[in-house]
Amino acid sequence: MKISNLLYMGALSTLALMSCTNNDDNSEWYGSEGIVFTTAIQSRVSGNTWNANDEVGIYMMNAGSGIEAATAQNKKYIAQTNGTLTAAPGNGIYLPESGNVDFIAYYPYTTSVSGNKLAVNVSDQSNPAAIDLIYSNGTKGVAATTATTISLGFTHQLTKVTLNVTKDETIETLNGLGVNIKGISTEGEFNLADGTLTATAGTNNKDVAMYIDAQGTTATATAIILPTAASTDQTSLNLTFNLNGQSFTHTISDASIFEKGTNVSFNAKLSINNGKPVVTVGNATINNWTEKPGGDINVDFDGGTQPGGETVVLDESFATGQGSFTIDNKQLPNGEGSFVWNLGSFNDDKFMKASAYIGGTKYASESWLVSPLVDLSQATTATLTFDHAHNCAGTAEEEFTLWATETSADNWQQLTIDKYGSGFKFTTATIDLSAYAGKTIKFAFKYVSTTDAAGTWEIKNVKVIANGKGGGTVDPEPEPEPGINLLTNPGFEDWTSELPTAWDNATYNTGEIVKETSIKHGGNNSLRQTSASGTNKIQQEVAITAGKKYRISYWFLDNDTKASSRYWFAMVGSDGKTINDINKQIQQSDYSADNAEWQQVTIEFTAPAGTVKMRYEVRTYRNMDSNEAGGYIYYDDMELVEIQ
C-alpha cells in the first residue's frame, strides 16, 4: 500500500533550540504568514531573476468583482531569489473561508496608487529594473480551499529596445559610448484594472540616455520605453550615438514596431568615413520580451543560464514545501499515520526537516527525500550544493547521507557530504557530480534513526549547476487525474433534521452528531461528533470495483483532551461480509493526538478481489488514556475517488 502524505499535521514539530528533548516545539507552518506566491522573472534588463527584496504590489478580490472591490488592496510582497514572493510585515493576504478569488499584481511596488492607477516614468534608465513595469492579471477563480502557494504569471507592459553595437578599424574602442533616444514620451499612467497604459500629455518630447555596457570592441545599449500604443504622436525614433566628441545619428522611421511586451533589437556598426562619423543600423528583430515561448514571464523557475556557460539545472529552496521532490518512506517511526520528512520553519526560515523523535520518544525509521530527474546529458561537469543543519544525531555521517543513481538503472551509490556543521547551524555542502556528466540522474537525502539516536536533519537551498549546456530537470510522469468523488454530501452541507444527508443511517452513525457552522475546514458546515464511553461512528456505504485503485482523504480537527479519532474503512463482498485483505492499510491502529490545526488523512489502495462496496467509516473515541469522554471531534471534506 502507498500512503500519500499520510497525515498532514498543520502544527507539527519544527526546530529544536539546541536541545534534543525539545526538537518538536516551536512550529511555524507555511500559510501562517499569508499566501506565498511563486513566480520568476527570466528577462529583466539587468539580471535574469528577481533581485532580492524587489517589491511587488498585490490585490485580491472576489472572483469577477473587479479591483475596485478588492478585499486586499496593494499589499506589499517581497521577492526572494528563489522566485517566491512573501508578504512584508503586516501585509499578508489570506484566502477567504469559501468562494473563489482573483489576483492582480504589479512591479515595482509603490504606495502612490490613485484610483487604481500607477504613474510610469522611464526618463531615468540608470537602473532599468526599477522602471520595468511588470503586470499579472491572469490568476483568476482561485478556490478558497487552494493551498497557500499560488502561481502568478507576469507580462511586461513596456517595450525593451536593444542595440548591439560594433565598430570597424577606424574606431579604436567603444568604451565611453553614449546613446540617446531623442524626443519620446517618458511618462504615463497605467490602469491596474484593465492593463491599459496612456502617455501623459506634454511629456512627448524628452531625450532618454540608454543603459550602456561597453566592452571595448562591442557594446550593448538598452532602454525601456513606453510602447507606441501609449502615445498617438510617436511616429519615429531618433538615435544619437556619442563617442569621443563625435555624434552618429540614425532615425528609425516606423515607431509602430515598438509594441508592449516586445524586445526590439538592432545591430549597429560605427565607423569613420572621410573624417565623418557613420552609423549603419540593420533591420529590427522583434521577439517577445521573455526567454520562454508563450508570452508569459517564466513562472516555473526551472533554471536559467548563468555567466560563464553555466546552467542552473535544479534550484529548490524548500521555502513552501517539498517542491518537485518526492518522499520514499522505507520505515515509518511510529506506524502508519506518522512521517519523517515535513516542511519545517524557525523564525522566518523554511526548510525540509526529517526527525523520528516524537513525543519524547526515539523511533527507528528510514526515509528518503528524492530529487526529480536531473538531466546532465549535455553537461561536461556538474556541482550539487545545499545548506543543511542537524542536531542530536548519534553519528551524523552515518544517519544523514546523500545518494545518487543513474535513471537508466536503479543503482544507488553513496556520495560524500563534505561538511556537516553542528548544533542546528546551517552549513553549505558542495558535491561534485561530474562523474554523472552526460547522464540523467536523481539524488536523495537519506535519513535513518534508531531507538538510541533519532536526530533532526534540516535541508534548504538545493542547487545543481552544470557547465556546458545542461539540461534542466525532467518533467515527472503526470499524477493520475482524480475521478469524481463517489461520496454523497462529502462536506456535510446538506442535513436532515438530525443527521447529514447520505450519512443518515442511525445504525451506523452513532453518538451525538451536530451540524457545526463556525468551526469548519471548507464550505459552510462541518460535522461535530461527541465522544462517549464506547465507539461512535459516521459511515457511508459506496459501490466500488475490485482491482481498481482508489484514493481516500478527509480532514479532521482533534483539539479536545476528552476525545480522539481514527479511521476504520472496510471492504465488503457481494455476500455482505467484510474482506480483510487490506485491513492493515485502511484501518488505523493509533488514535489521534490533540492538535490545534485541521489534519488531513490521505490513503491510496487497490480494492481486493471480490469487493463490491466500501464502508467509508471514521470513528470518535474517548481519551483512551484517561477514559474521559464528552469531547468533540470535527470532520469535513471527505473524499473517495477512483484514480484513472
Side-chain angles (χ1 to χ4, degrees):
M1 182 215 54
K2 175 184 177 183
I3 296 185
S4 174
N5 299 326
L6 286 155
L7 192 59
Y8 291 20
M9 311 291 282
L12 269 167
S13 59
T14 310
L15 180 64
L17 298 176
M18 304 300 186
S19 170
C20 301
T21 61
N22 191 35
N23 64 335
D24 288 323
D25 294 337
N26 303 309
S27 301
E28 183 181 347
W29 284 80
Y30 78 97
S32 63
E33 298 173 355
I35 300 168
V36 174
F37 296 92
T38 60
T39 181
I41 303 296
Q42 291 283 350
S43 46
R44 302 273 292 281
V45 168
S46 62
N48 62 357
T49 62
W50 289 110
N51 296 318
N53 300 316
D54 277 351
E55 297 178 350
V56 177
I58 301 180
Y59 293 74
M60 182 180 74
M61 63 243 41
N62 293 327
S65 65
I67 195 172
E68 297 80 8
T71 55
Q73 299 185 16
N74 201 28
K75 297 294 186 179
K76 183 196 298 186
Y77 269 64
I78 309 298
Q80 312 299 317
T81 55
N82 66 357
T84 62
L85 304 174
T86 57
N91 282 257
I93 300 176
Y94 302 86
L95 289 169
E97 292 185 354
S98 61
N100 299 311
V101 292
D102 300 338
F103 293 92
I104 289 175
Y106 72 95
Y107 168 90
Y109 171 81
T110 178
T111 58
S112 302
V113 179
S114 178
N116 299 316
K117 295 179 179 178
L118 329 160
V120 178
N121 192 326
V122 298
S123 55
D124 184 2
Q125 299 281 329
S126 61
N127 182 13
I131 60 173
D132 184 7
L133 177 61
I134 306 172
Y135 178 62
S136 173
N137 192 14
T139 302
K140 299 181 180 294
V142 177
T145 54
T146 299
T148 53
T149 301
I150 296 170
S151 181
L152 298 178
F154 287 81
T155 55
H156 291 280
Q157 298 302 301
L158 304 181
T159 305
K160 180 180 177 182
V161 181
T162 303
L163 302 175
N164 302 305
V165 186
T166 59
K167 68 175 189 66
D168 71 4
E169 64 277 6
T170 62
I171 295 176
E172 181 179 353
T173 180
L174 293 177
N175 292 338
L177 175 68
V179 184
N180 290 333
I181 303 176
K182 311 286 288 185
I184 64 170
S185 298
T186 58
E187 299 178 39
E189 192 173 67
F190 184 77
N191 192 330
L192 291 169
D194 58 13
T196 57
L197 174 65
T198 305
T200 302
T203 68
N204 59 346
N205 192 26
K206 301 293 183 67
D207 295 348
V208 170
M210 301 183 73
Y211 181 86
I212 304 295
D213 181 12
Q215 302 293 329
T217 60
T218 62
T220 302
T222 53
I224 297 174
I225 66 173
L226 272 60
T228 306
S231 178
T232 58
D233 56 5
Q234 191 72 53
T235 59
S236 62
L237 204 71
N238 299 312
L239 303 174
T240 300
F241 301 76
N242 300 302
L243 180 65
N244 298 326
Q246 294 182 305
S247 293
F248 307 71
T249 60
H250 180 80
T251 297
I252 300 169
S253 59
D254 184 10
S256 66
I257 62 176
F258 299 104
E259 298 180 351
K260 88 172 174 179
T262 60
N263 178 13
V264 185
S265 61
F266 303 84
N267 293 327
K269 187 174 184 178
L270 304 185
S271 63
I272 304 297
N273 189 0
N274 293 324
K276 296 182 179 180
V278 177
V279 57
T280 303
V281 178
N283 293 329
T285 300
I286 304 174
N287 296 306
N288 288 335
W289 189 357
T290 177
E291 293 181 0
K292 285 187 165 287
D296 284 350
I297 296 168
N298 176 30
V299 298
D300 297 322
F301 200 64
D302 57 1
T305 300
Q306 302 297 307
E310 294 181 345
T311 298
V312 179
V313 182
L314 174 67
D315 194 338
E316 177 56 67
S317 68
F318 299 131
T320 60
Q322 67 191 65
S324 56
F325 280 64
T326 57
I327 297 172
D328 184 7
N329 291 313
K330 307 291 188 183
Q331 180 184 357
L332 288 168
N334 192 25
E336 297 175 4
S338 60
F339 55 81
V340 173
W341 290 98
N342 68 86
L343 178 67
S345 68
F346 184 71
N347 294 331
D348 294 326
D349 201 17
K350 304 286 178 35
F351 39 79
M352 285 299 289
K353 167 192 167 183
S355 179
Y357 181 84
I358 304 173
T361 301
K362 301 171 184 176
Y363 291 91
S365 71
E366 180 181 338
S367 184
W368 296 49
L369 181 65
V370 185
S371 77
L373 302 184
V374 179
D375 184 2
L376 303 177
S377 59
Q378 300 184 63
T380 56
T381 62
T383 303
L384 164 66
T385 59
F386 60 91
D387 298 335
H388 69 135
H390 70 88
N391 204 13
C392 306
T395 305
E397 292 81 359
E398 298 176 358
E399 297 158 26
F400 314 141
T401 54
L402 177 69
W403 299 73
T405 182
E406 297 177 41
T407 56
S408 59
D410 194 12
N411 184 24
W412 289 95
Q413 301 292 323
Q414 186 173 353
L415 305 179
T416 300
I417 299 176
D418 61 333
K419 297 178 182 177
Y420 274 88
S422 63
F424 281 132
K425 296 180 180 179
F426 278 99
T427 186
T428 300
T430 303
I431 292 88
D432 187 1
L433 297 180
S434 298
Y436 295 100
K439 303 171 182 178
T440 299
I441 69 166
K442 54 185 177 180
F443 60 90
F445 301 99
K446 176 183 176 182
Y447 173 95
V448 296
S449 63
T450 66
T451 54
D452 294 322
T456 299
W457 194 18
E458 299 164 349
I459 297 173
K460 63 181 181 178
N461 299 333
V462 179
K463 183 177 290 188
V464 177
I465 296 178
N467 291 308
K469 293 184 179 180
T473 58
V474 177
D475 291 335
E477 291 294 321
E479 288 291 324
E481 290 291 331
I484 298 172
N485 194 347
L486 301 178
L487 296 173
T488 302
N489 193 24
F492 308 111
E493 297 300 291
D494 301 318
W495 287 70
T496 63
S497 58
E498 296 182 355
L499 293 168
T501 303
W503 307 83
D504 54 5
N505 187 333
T507 302
Y508 294 110
N509 296 277
T510 60
E512 183 185 72
I513 294 174
V514 174
K515 178 171 70 175
E516 176 62 50
T517 60
S518 58
I519 301 173
K520 59 205 176 183
H521 180 262
N524 297 315
N525 308 318
S526 69
L527 181 150
R528 189 190 80 190
Q529 189 169 49
T530 305
S531 66
S533 58
T535 302
N536 288 334
K537 314 172 185 177
I538 58 169
Q539 186 189 99
Q540 184 178 142
E541 292 191 345
V542 186
I544 61 175
T545 303
K548 296 287 189 178
K549 190 174 183 179
Y550 295 87
R551 183 179 69 243
I552 303 167
S553 74
Y554 70 92
W555 291 83
F556 74 99
L557 176 63
D558 173 10
N559 195 29
D560 196 316
T561 59
K562 297 181 180 180
S564 59
S565 175
R566 63 180 179 177
Y567 50 85
W568 205 259
F569 308 108
M571 303 294 130
V572 182
S574 58
D575 57 1
K577 297 181 179 180
T578 59
I579 301 171
N580 300 320
D581 296 18
I582 59 171
N583 278 5
K584 289 184 178 180
Q585 292 97 343
I586 60 174
Q587 294 180 353
Q588 191 176 10
S589 58
D590 297 326
Y591 301 89
S592 63
D594 292 348
N595 194 314
E597 303 292 334
W598 284 90
Q599 305 170 60
Q600 186 184 28
V601 173
T602 302
I603 302 171
E604 291 181 5
F605 71 96
T606 300
T611 301
V612 298
K613 65 181 178 181
M614 174 186 191
R615 289 186 185 135
Y616 192 107
E617 183 176 307
V618 296
R619 298 181 172 185
T620 299
Y621 305 84
R622 66 192 183 282
N623 185 309
M624 303 305 290
D625 294 322
S626 67
N627 285 323
E628 292 181 285
Y632 298 147
I633 302 290
Y634 301 83
Y635 300 98
D636 205 353
D637 294 335
M638 309 296 215
E639 183 186 61
L640 172 64
V641 299
E642 179 184 334
I643 300 174
Q644 304 296 330

